[in-house]
Amino acid sequence: QVQLVESGGGLVQPGGSLRLSCVVSGLSFKNSPMTWVRQSPGKGLDWVSSIGASGATMAYADSVKGRFTISRDNAQNTLFLRMNNLKPEDTAIYYCVKGGRPSYYSNLSLRGQGTQVTVSS
């Protein structure tokens, strides 16, 4: 079955950086566009970024553009999200999901356990 295991979250001060990872198994990772979404306290899931299967195309939400970088290592079946200049409003649980836009939406029920990112001084 499909398994997605996110890691790399933590507590960081405003302006700090984190790199999230998502190890994927149970699907053809190298052929799958992938997406990061996040859920802030008391809110729904928000799209953050997507990447094509080869890693050549990326897209970002306006709120993270210029600060976050999505990437992937198809040899290691791993998706990454580098987050720089973090802001308190980036506080959320971050999930990786199979698919790009808009197909990821139908795969949300298959997301992993997520990794908590807390930005606070």
Side-chain angles (χ1 to χ4, degrees):
Q1 77 248 28
V2 176
Q3 280 195 314
L4 304 101
V5 181
E6 301 94 340
S7 63
L11 173 64
V12 62
Q13 292 186 341
S17 298
L18 286 172
R19 189 177 83 153
L20 307 184
S21 299
C22 173
V23 178
V24 181
S25 61
L27 60 84
S28 180
F29 182 76
K30 66 180 181 180
N31 294 319
S32 297
M34 296 293 296
T35 289
W36 286 99
V37 299
R38 67 187 182 186
Q39 186 166 27
S40 303
K43 297 185 178 180
L45 288 163
D46 291 325
W47 173 75
V48 174
S49 181
S50 296
I51 188 168
S54 69
T57 57
M58 294 83 79
Y60 300 92
D62 287 343
S63 59
V64 307
K65 199 173 295 183
R67 300 187 298 121
F68 290 12
T69 303
I70 191 171
S71 63
R72 62 192 296 159
D73 183 341
N74 284 349
Q76 298 295 323
N77 284 9
T78 304
L79 178 72
F80 301 101
L81 186 69
R82 176 67 178 183
M83 306 186 295
N84 294 329
N85 190 21
L86 282 160
K87 304 176 180 181
E89 52 263 42
D90 295 318
T91 294
I93 301 173
Y94 286 72
Y95 302 93
C96 63
V97 186
K98 175 189 174 183
R101 285 194 301 171
S103 63
Y104 81 91
Y105 195 81
S106 63
N107 295 321
L108 286 174
S109 62
L110 299 176
R111 68 186 185 275
Q113 83 290 345
T115 187
Q116 175 72 51
V117 172
T118 303
V119 185
S120 175
S121 54

